Structure formats: structure tokens, C-alpha cells
Amino acid sequence: MTGHEKAQGPQHKRDLTRRKVLAAGTGAVVAAGVGGTFAAGAFAGEETPAAGAKASGTSGETCYRLTSETTEGPYYIDADKLRRDVTEGQDGIPLMLRLKVIDADTCKPLADAAVDIWHCNALGVYSGYEAMGSGGGGGGGGGTPPSGAPTGSPTGAPTGSPTGAPTGSPPAGGGGHEEPTDDERYLRGTWRTDKKGEVAFRTVFPGWYQGRCVHIHTKVHVNGTWTDAGYEGGTTCHTGQLFFDEASVLATAEVEPYSTNTTARTTLDEDTIYPGNGTEGGLLKLKYKKGAIAKGVVATLTMGVDPETTQDGTGGG
């Protein structure tokens, strides 16, 4: 993806007034291995302890400030799984994502909102689109993991140059919504905000694909109803992307499997979607042990939204 993500056309088959999220069982299992002790107990209760203070709170710095809206991208999948642990065994650096949603006008937390997140895996592949070429639009792509020259571009060699012609190939345009090509749903999930407007997800640090910096997509839905089947109705009041500073991304690039990804990486400053306005634009606040990022990262952000508007990200951002 080298250009702007285009508005999605009528082919985007979603009915926001009849939105449903399918429940994916009860509880979340703490991942084993390197992340086994990372943020243990984060999902012990309905609320997310200590998330508020770490996610900027509701100080004058965050109040009355709308978080930047961006395009949805072509690879959003509605009716996704209702869960807080979205890893599904994907390899990568453990990432605890703590978000707080507030009304940007009143600074009051938005409770019972439905928050979606979705992002690519450590090698730049999006679930649901593994049959498509890697990289593409603001949503990324699927296909064979971009670990070699041929996977990032149909011509092979140009994968080392993010400004080369192949980066403008069809999947990189970010045009209308793409229908899923498979049933995989890793690194996608939805959960409700608690009474403090807080929600937390367990995932892995995203990787990168040609034409985009490292990012996570997110949506906030309000005025819907939580049922045994999930979340129904309501409107989408925020569609954005969450970004990572260059220092953290460079640190992950030294860790497997990220270190095996030879696809040309777009930096934060080079990205055409990142608004360049820091936390207001979705830049996450990260906490990890320097020199030992492989042990895990905690990412936090307060998102100011307008619950009275509809921002579904299909109008060009």
C-alpha cells in the first residue's frame, strides 16, 4: 500500500443497525511460553485493573480532544469473536493492549461500548485473507508470509524498495471492502468497556507488510445491546488505527519471528495513514523492559470519541 485507502463502495455488505458479535466461549486462557507470566490476572474480573491511570486518564490533556478518524481498510470482518484474548496461538511478542474510551465532549467514560481490534500477525498476514497477496491498503493482506522477496511483490526484486511500482499493485490501493477468503480469525476480537470505559486485549505485537507502518485497527460501537449471542444494533462512533513508535518496532525486528520478515518496512513518519499528531492520532504509550522487549509490552491509550456521530471509516477517513 503506497497511497491513501479509498472509501469503500456499496459492495461492503454490512448492516450496522443489525450488528452481531458471536460469543467465543467463556473466559480467556493465559498464553503459555514467553508470555505465560506476562500481565497475569489481567482478565481476572470484568474490569481491567489499573488500566485507567496507564491510559492517560481524563485530564485536561485528553478531554475535549477527538481521536483521529481513519479509514476502515478493506479487511474488516464484522460478526467477529467476542473475546479478550485474540492470540489463537500466533507467535510473537506478547502485547497487552489497554484502551480507555471517553466522551470527548464531557470526558465521561463510555461504559458498555463494544470495542473491536484487528491486525496482522508477526509476518504481516491478516486472518481471513490468507489467500490474498501480502500487504495492501490500510487493512493489510494475507497470503504467504512476507519472509522473502517474491512474497512482497509479484516481480520479486522490487520488494526491497517501498517506492517501487509493485507497491501500487491492486491490493495496495485499499479500495472497497474485500470478502474474506477463509475462516481464520486470529488476532481479531471484540470486548465491552467496563464502567470506567476501559477494555483490555491480549494479543501479540503486530508485524509489518509492504507500504504500511506497524499498526492495529480499532472500532468503537455504542447504543447497542449485549445479549447472550454478543452485541446487537447500535452505531459505530469511532474507526481508527493505533500506532507504535519507531524505537519499539526496531527492537521487535531483532526478535523472532519478526527478524525473519525481509519485507521492506514503512516507518511511522513515512506512513500515509498515520496523522502525525501523537496520542491524539492513535500513537500508543508503550511500556517494556529495554533490551528485553521479547518478554512483553503493555500498550495504553485513551480514545476520545463522539457517541452521537457515526464514524464507520468507509467514507475515506
Side-chain angles (χ1 to χ4, degrees):
M1 203 290 299
T2 57
H4 295 286
E5 295 180 65
K6 302 176 183 176
Q8 296 183 11
Q11 71 269 30
H12 193 296
K13 301 176 181 178
R14 288 184 295 116
D15 183 355
L16 291 176
T17 64
R18 293 293 303 162
R19 184 176 190 282
K20 283 190 176 183
V21 179
L22 303 179
T26 58
V29 179
V30 176
V34 67
T37 59
F38 179 62
F43 301 144
E46 181 67 21
E47 299 181 13
T48 53
K54 294 289 183 75
S56 302
T58 54
S59 66
E61 181 181 355
T62 56
C63 283
Y64 307 101
R65 216 181 249 192
L66 285 169
T67 300
S68 300
E69 300 293 327
T70 67
T71 182
E72 175 187 276
Y75 303 116
Y76 173 60
I77 301 178
D78 203 352
D80 210 346
K81 294 182 177 180
L82 182 64
R83 58 187 181 178
R84 289 176 284 186
D85 187 337
V86 303
T87 55
E88 284 196 24
Q90 286 292 304
D91 291 333
I93 296 169
L95 176 68
M96 178 63 67
L97 178 64
R98 298 177 182 268
L99 303 173
K100 181 167 185 175
V101 184
I102 65 171
D103 184 320
D105 184 46
T106 66
C107 296
K108 293 181 179 179
L110 289 183
D112 293 324
V115 178
D116 298 329
I117 66 164
W118 71 102
H119 62 87
C120 68
N121 65 11
L123 295 178
V125 177
Y126 273 70
S127 64
Y129 298 90
E130 292 188 344
M132 302 182 70
S134 59
T144 304
S147 57
T151 61
S153 165
T155 58
T159 53
S161 174
T163 58
T167 59
S169 57
H177 175 74
E178 296 287 345
E179 292 302 316
T181 62
D182 56 73
D183 295 329
E184 295 294 336
R185 294 296 183 267
Y186 52 81
L187 307 181
R188 297 176 180 270
T190 301
W191 198 253
R192 68 194 300 174
T193 57
D194 62 18
K195 64 183 179 182
K196 296 179 182 178
E198 298 168 356
V199 63
F201 293 94
R202 181 185 297 278
T203 183
V204 298
F205 204 103
W208 61 88
Y209 49 88
Q210 196 164 355
R212 284 304 314 277
C213 68
V214 176
H215 64 284
I216 293 175
H217 289 267
T218 186
K219 281 180 178 283
V220 178
H221 311 273
V222 295
N223 302 320
T225 302
W226 291 93
T227 69
D228 291 340
Y231 188 81
E232 300 183 20
T235 57
T236 303
C237 68
H238 174 65
T239 299
Q241 296 184 27
L242 309 175
F243 301 92
F244 298 80
D245 62 74
E246 277 299 297
S248 65
V249 175
L250 287 172
T252 65
E254 302 298 320
V255 180
E256 290 188 355
Y258 307 88
S259 59
T260 66
N261 187 349
T262 60
T263 300
R265 187 177 65 81
T266 297
T267 67
L268 187 66
D269 289 340
E270 294 169 339
D271 192 74
T272 60
I273 303 299
Y274 173 56
N277 52 350
T279 55
E280 185 180 353
L283 186 63
L284 292 162
K285 295 182 178 180
L286 306 180
K287 182 178 180 180
Y288 57 91
K289 186 175 180 181
K290 290 186 177 181
I293 196 171
K295 293 184 176 180
V297 179
V298 175
T300 61
L301 187 71
T302 294
M303 299 188 296
V305 304
D306 182 354
E308 302 301 320
T309 65
T310 297
Q311 300 281 3
D312 60 13
T314 61

